[in-house]
Amino acid sequence: MDKSEVAPSTLFAVASVLEGCCFINGSPQNTFVPGVIELANINKVHIAGDDFKSGQTKVKSVIVDFLVSAGIKPTSIVSYNHLGNNDGLNLSAPQQFRSKEISKSGVIDDMVAANAVLYRSGEKPDHSVVIKYVPYVGDSKRAMDEYSSELMLGGRNTIVMHNTCEDSLLAAPIILDLVILAELCQRIQFKVDGEKAFHGFNSVLSVLSYLCKAPLVPASTPVVNALFRQRACIENIFRACLGLAPVNHMLLEHKHVREYVAAPPVDRLLSEHQEVLKSEEAPDDVASASHCLESFASRSPQTVLSSSSS
């Protein structure tokens, strides 16, 4: 093997696994080569990644999920960034940029593949990602996106977004969340129907996909990039730890037909009041009530419905 091809991050990952310490890869480079994943499985150590999802990519996963779910077909997505911190300097190298381009571009793949009505097999939107190093702007990253989509009857739709953000301040809380979630996941043991023994999560912690651009998943596992589905996974796992049912948003208890006590029909009320009027001493308020009921009964059903809803 050509030793120059072994990334420094891969050496850190191997050292971490051998020490029994969970390793989370926050960069886009190819850190988790097959040998590292195999080593993690053998040592039963958790690994997670890749590439922190903080700003532009997180918004992209929401926008594309919304468009595709609404039956609007994204046909072109162009993303431009420029920044001046060390991240921008590193990405000015062609090899580093290529790995970032892959992680940013792949975020829409599963959402597009999930809609066979909009996209034929193998069809994808044109997707271009540009990143430039501009030292003057420092950590204040600029991100611009253009989403072009097809509507019904040959219509076109374009969404343009501009975002200015402090790159490191967006990444710092994600690092904290990943460390806390990874530590909690290492404590959890569970079993499914038919299993006798409890076991922990797979060494590849795909549950942390919510916070990563290019989610690392176990072999033969589908990759999920849709942001709300990723978050629901985390939420429902921790609800299960508390013995709570998963949140499915159906709310069927509020959507079924309820039985109500029916009000007496108008003609019955009118008959009762007429009987009162036949008595010798019918008070004035009863006569007035009877007049109101007669007036009410003479209205058309449409008028009654309209007055009830107004």
Side-chain angles (χ1 to χ4, degrees), residues 37-211:
I37 297 175
E38 182 180 355
L39 185 66
N41 285 323
I42 292 173
N43 288 272
K44 293 182 170 55
V45 176
H46 290 109
I47 56 176
D50 289 309
D51 202 1
F52 298 152
K53 181 165 59 182
S54 58
Q56 187 181 49
T57 308
K58 186 173 289 186
V59 174
K60 183 179 295 183
S61 65
V62 174
I63 293 291
V64 174
D65 190 25
F66 156 69
L67 291 172
V68 173
S69 299
I72 299 173
K73 181 181 179 180
T75 52
S76 170
I77 302 172
V78 180
S79 300
Y80 169 85
N81 307 257
H82 68 258
L83 66 166
N85 57 14
N86 283 335
D87 190 25
L89 178 60
N90 291 332
L91 292 173
S92 63
Q95 291 177 327
Q96 291 285 67
F97 168 72
R98 179 55 184 158
S99 61
K100 174 69 79 170
E101 183 182 30
I102 293 172
S103 69
K104 276 179 165 287
S105 300
V107 72
I108 67 170
D109 288 349
D110 65 308
M111 290 172 273
V112 168
N115 195 319
V117 175
L118 291 180
Y119 296 94
R120 297 185 302 272
S121 177
E123 184 183 9
K124 295 181 181 180
D126 294 334
H127 195 173
S128 178
V129 177
V130 178
I131 303 175
K132 295 296 183 181
Y133 176 54
V134 182
Y136 175 77
V137 300
D139 203 52
S140 183
K141 181 170 73 173
R142 272 70 161 175
M144 285 155 275
D145 295 271
E146 180 188 84
Y147 301 86
S148 299
S149 306
E150 291 181 357
L151 305 175
M152 65 180 297
L153 301 178
R156 295 287 186 269
N157 178 68
T158 301
I159 298 174
V160 179
M161 301 180 62
H162 181 277
N163 177 34
T164 301
C165 60
E166 300 300 316
D167 200 37
S168 298
L169 293 181
L170 284 175
I174 289 177
I175 295 172
L176 293 176
D177 287 343
L178 282 167
V179 170
I180 293 170
L181 289 171
E183 200 276 335
L184 285 173
C185 287
Q186 291 177 92
R187 302 187 193 186
I188 296 174
Q189 289 194 328
F190 62 95
K191 62 180 180 179
V192 297
D193 291 341
E195 294 182 338
K196 295 182 179 180
F198 284 88
H199 51 79
F201 286 109
N202 189 289
S203 291
V204 178
L205 275 180
S206 59
V207 68
L208 302 184
S209 298
Y210 176 64
L211 300 166

